[in-house]
Amino acid sequence: MVVGLLKRAVLEVSPEYWNALSESDENGNSTLSALPSELISVLVDARILVESNFDELAHARTQSLLARGRPDTFGLIVVPTMSCNMGCHYCFEDKPENDGGLPTRISEDLLNFAENRMTDPRLRTFHLRWFGGEPMLEIDRVLEITQKLKIMSASHGRRFRADMVTNGYGITRSCAEQMREAGLQAVQITFEGDQRKHDKIRRLSKAGSFDGIIASLKAAGDLLEFTARVHVAPYSVDTIPRLLRHLHSEGLHHVLKAIYFAPIFNYRQNDPRRNFQENSGLYLSSRAFATHEAELLADARQLGFTTLDPLDADYGVCTALRENTAVMNVDGTLSKCYLDAGDRNESYGNITGDIDNPQNLQKWRDADFSADPDCAACTFAPVCLGGCDKHARAASDKSMICTSLKYNYADVLQLYHG
C-alpha cells in the first residue's frame, strides 16, 4: 500500500513495484526506472511521486488557505440557548440555569444576516448548524428559523443544509417529522460508553439518558441522518465494546449513518489555567487514544457500523479557521470557534454586523500551522494541518493535540484500504 497524503490517495502495488519505489541500487541511485510508465503517471498525478524541488509544506499551506477562504459555502452555527438538561463533568461551557432562549429580536437579526449573505453571487450553499447548550430545549424556535432559512435559500437559488448537535434525548417520531419538514436533515448524538457508564456521566436530574437516546434512534432513525460520537476516556474505554454490541443487538448499525470515536479534552471557558493540560485519570494523550481508536474502529466495522475514513480530511481544517463561518450566541454576539459558545470574551462582533473586537477575528485569520517547526517537519501535516489552533495557542505540549493517525496509521489505513 502506497499513501499520498497531499491528495489523500491510496494505491496498492505489487511487492516488486514497492521495492522499486522504496529502495535504491547499490550506488544509491533511484530504481524508479523499473516501474511501468503508466504507474509512474498515476503516482505523479496522486502526488505520491513529486519532483525533488517540490515544496510539499508550501503546497499543503496553499491548499489550506484556499479551502479556508472558499466563498461558495457559508456556515452558521447557532446557539439558541446555553441551558442544558444534563451536566457532563467535562463540559467546557459556563452554563446558566435558564437563559430564556433566543429572543425574537435576535432571531429577526439572524434572518437579516442570512439574507445579506445569500445575496453574494459566489454563494452556492448555506449550512446551518444548531449547537448549545442543548438546542432541543428550544425546538420550537429551532424549527421556526430552520424553516424560514430553507425557504429563503430556495428563493435565492442556494442549496440549504441544516443539522444539529444534541444529546439526543427525547426526539419523538412526531418531533423528527417536524424537524425533517423544516429542513433539518442530520443529527449528531453522543455516547459515553455502555449504559452504566453513560448514565453516570450524561444524567438528567434524577435518571440516566441512555434508554432515552436509544428510543430516539429507534423512533427517528428513518427520518433523520444520525451520526454517533463516542467519547473515549481512561475510565470508559473498556466499556465501549459493550456499547457497540448493545447498539448492534438493537439493530442500530443499520440506523446510524456513521459512528466515530473522539477523546475528550481538559478545557474550561472559565478556567484558562487548566486548558488542555494533562490529567491521565480523565483524559487520554493522542498516542494513548490512537491505540484504542484502532481497536474500536476494527470492532465497529466488524459489527457492520459505518466509520469515517481518516483520509477524508478537508484542507479547511475546521469552522473556526474558515473565513465564511460564524458562531452566533444566544445574545447575538458572534465568535469563530464552537468552544467559545457563550463566551463574550471571545466574541468579535454581533449579528447586526458590528465588529467591536477585531482582534478576536484576526487571530483566526493569522493561524498558520506551517510556522510551527514541529508541524512543518511532520509527515502528517497535510491531513492534520496543525490540529486545533485554539489548543496550539493554549498549550505548546502536542501530546494531546497531534492527530491519532500519526500513531495508528498502519492499522487504521489497513482497515479502510487494505
Side-chain angles (χ1 to χ4, degrees):
M1 183 189 300
V2 182
V3 179
L5 297 181
L6 289 175
K7 293 187 75 169
R8 287 82 165 111
V10 180
L11 299 174
E12 287 193 36
V13 298
S14 68
E16 175 189 358
Y17 292 158
W18 168 255
N19 290 336
L21 277 169
S22 58
E23 297 177 359
S24 56
D25 63 22
E26 62 273 10
N27 298 316
N29 298 316
S30 169
T31 55
L32 291 179
S33 58
L35 297 176
S37 58
E38 295 85 355
L39 178 57
I40 290 179
S41 295
V42 171
L43 293 169
V44 169
D45 183 63
R47 292 200 186 279
I48 293 172
L49 283 181
V50 296
E51 295 179 356
S52 59
N53 62 349
F54 181 76
D55 191 331
E56 295 185 36
L57 180 64
H59 175 82
R61 181 179 184 273
T62 298
Q63 293 303 307
S64 179
L65 290 173
L66 289 171
R68 286 164 57 177
R70 283 182 57 177
D72 60 342
T73 299
F74 188 84
L76 182 62
I77 301 173
V78 179
V79 180
T81 179
M82 287 299 295
S83 300
C84 187
N85 51 358
M86 298 185 191
C88 308
H89 74 85
Y90 56 78
C91 185
F92 57 84
E93 297 174 339
D94 191 12
K95 293 186 175 70
E97 286 294 323
N98 186 353
D99 56 19
L102 204 60
T104 300
R105 175 183 59 81
I106 293 176
S107 298
E108 292 171 350
D109 290 340
L110 185 163
L111 294 171
N112 291 332
F113 175 86
E115 182 95 55
N116 289 334
R117 291 288 176 174
M118 290 186 196
T119 60
D120 185 340
R122 300 171 299 172
L123 188 72
R124 296 290 177 268
T125 301
F126 191 94
H127 182 194
L128 172 68
R129 171 165 294 166
W130 293 100
F131 193 66
E134 175 46 54
M136 286 297 295
L137 296 179
E138 293 291 324
I139 187 59
D140 289 342
R141 183 71 83 184
V142 166
L143 294 175
E144 174 194 354
I145 293 174
T146 303
Q147 178 83 35
K148 289 180 178 179
L149 288 175
K150 182 178 78 168
I151 294 171
M152 184 187 297
S153 296
S155 70
H156 285 278
R158 310 302 184 217
R159 180 175 178 268
F160 180 69
R161 173 80 178 172
D163 58 45
M164 176 188 287
V165 178
T166 170
N167 57 42
Y169 186 85
I171 303 177
T172 64
R173 186 163 188 84
S174 174
C175 180
E177 289 171 345
Q178 294 177 67
M179 292 166 74
R180 181 169 175 171
E181 176 64 25
L184 236 165
Q185 300 116 316
V187 172
Q188 178 182 285
I189 60 172
T190 303
F191 288 105
E192 304 291 344
D194 68 0
Q195 180 168 8
R196 184 177 180 183
K197 182 62 68 176
H198 177 98
D199 282 345
K200 285 184 177 180
I201 298 170
R202 289 188 169 247
R203 293 187 59 80
L204 303 168
S205 58
K206 294 183 180 180
S209 61
F210 188 90
D211 285 340
I213 298 171
I214 297 296
S216 295
L217 289 171
K218 290 182 174 180
D222 62 331
L223 296 172
L224 302 170
E225 298 174 3
F226 280 92
T227 296
R229 174 184 174 106
V230 180
H231 282 154
V232 184
Y235 54 79
S236 66
V237 64
D238 62 341
T239 76
I240 296 175
R242 290 195 293 273
L243 165 69
L244 295 176
R245 278 153 184 77
H246 186 121
L247 296 176
H248 182 271
S249 71
E250 298 281 1
L252 297 176
H253 56 301
H254 296 307
V255 171
L256 291 170
K257 180 182 179 182
I259 190 168
Y260 73 100
F261 306 96
I264 56 176
F265 292 108
N266 191 2
Y267 182 79
R268 288 288 189 281
Q269 290 177 344
N270 59 8
D271 188 8
R273 293 173 301 174
R274 66 178 286 178
N275 287 346
F276 303 110
Q277 300 303 308
E278 288 193 52
N279 182 330
S280 58
L282 295 176
Y283 310 101
L284 291 167
S285 68
S286 179
R287 186 186 293 273
F289 168 71
T291 299
H292 296 304
E293 182 189 33
E295 295 169 352
L296 293 170
L297 285 171
D299 201 5
R301 290 172 66 83
Q302 188 172 26
L303 288 169
F305 291 95
T306 298
T307 58
L308 305 177
D309 188 337
L311 291 186
D312 188 17
D314 195 298
Y315 269 109
V317 191
C318 72
T319 56
L321 295 182
R322 294 176 185 270
E323 186 68 19
N324 286 313
T325 60
V327 178
M328 193 200 83
N329 299 302
V330 68
D331 62 357
T333 56
L334 296 178
S335 52
K336 290 295 290 180
C337 178
Y338 78 94
L339 288 174
D340 297 329
D343 186 353
R344 296 194 64 147
N345 292 325
E346 292 294 331
S347 69
Y348 64 83
N350 60 58
I351 199 71
T352 61
D354 295 331
I355 305 294
D356 47 20
N357 292 302
Q359 70 279 4
N360 284 344
L361 182 59
Q362 191 61 41
K363 64 185 177 184
W364 296 102
R365 291 172 170 170
D366 292 341
D368 180 5
F369 75 94
S370 66
D372 183 302
D374 293 333
C375 294
C378 181
T379 299
F380 294 89
V383 288
C384 176
L385 299 165
C388 173
D389 187 68
K390 192 174 188 69
H391 187 162
R393 283 186 274 113
S396 58
D397 182 5
K398 292 185 174 59
S399 66
M400 307 291 282
I401 189 175
C402 287
T403 174
S404 55
L405 194 63
K406 179 177 180 178
Y407 306 109
N408 63 19
Y409 69 91
D411 294 325
V412 170
L413 294 184
Q414 190 67 32
L415 283 175
Y416 290 91
H417 305 286

